[in-house]
Amino acid sequence: QLLLKKQAKEGREIPVSEIAEVTNLSRQTVYNWKNGIQVDSLDSDTAFAFANYFEANLDELVEFIPRKQ
């Protein structure tokens, strides 16, 4: 998990509020991502904010799950 890696690298727990402030995302968005709450869509600004914060590729952040027909 990206958050665990970043916390280990920095040697501290990183609160949701800090991630939200640095990425300019809402605390609810960060909370949902941190807790693995599935979302139906993810806009590019949000995806890039997470990718930049965690110094990660987009494919490390999201998993495509096709909708059931």
Side-chain angles (χ1 to χ4, degrees):
Q1 163 132 332
L2 295 171
L3 180 56
L4 293 176
K5 286 181 186 178
K6 187 167 183 74
Q7 290 178 145
K9 182 179 176 182
E10 295 188 9
R12 66 188 183 95
E13 186 172 337
I14 302 171
V16 167
S17 59
E18 181 181 324
I19 299 169
E21 183 177 330
V22 171
T23 59
N24 202 30
L25 298 171
S26 72
R27 287 190 307 260
Q28 187 66 48
T29 296
V30 176
Y31 174 87
N32 289 348
W33 174 82
K34 180 181 177 188
N35 291 291
I37 296 172
Q38 185 175 335
V39 295
D40 291 331
S41 65
L42 182 67
D43 66 54
S44 60
D45 290 339
T46 301
F48 285 116
F50 277 126
N52 286 333
Y53 181 78
F54 290 106
E55 299 174 352
N57 295 319
L58 292 177
D59 63 341
E60 296 175 85
L61 296 170
V62 296
E63 176 185 6
F64 176 71
I65 302 171
R67 291 186 178 165
K68 295 180 181 178
Q69 297 286 333

